[in-house]
Amino acid sequence: MSPAVELNLALILFLPWFAILGALYWLFPRQPRHAARKLFDTVALLLAVTAFLLSIYWSHDNADPAYGRMWQQILATALGYGVFLAVLTAAFVVRRLWLRRRR
């Protein structure tokens, strides 16, 4: 396996699932749909993907090689997915509170 694919394997595998979660985050709730919300949602999704990438690169660098090369992928996948969901969940809660106050 090429080094570039190996380093980004967690992203390659999770990209379809992240696209589904990102679309659901973007589409619901359907209203209100104003420019500030679109900007907030865009920033939240970009932040979630950026945090995911940083966490998988960090885990690749810090995984103990004594457990084998596969451990790097396992740690990167588990940690990256958790970080992506944590950022998206925090954005969902903040957006919900923000939209509730605007009503």
Side-chain angles (χ1 to χ4, degrees), residues 7-25:
L7 185 61
N8 294 303
L9 185 61
L11 176 63
I12 293 166
L13 294 175
F14 273 103
L15 204 54
W17 181 237
F18 287 169
I20 292 168
L21 290 176
L24 289 173
Y25 174 80

Side-chain angles (χ1 to χ4, degrees), residues 1 32 36 43 45 48 72 85:
M1 182 180 324
V43 170
L45 289 169
Q72 291 176 323
L85 288 180

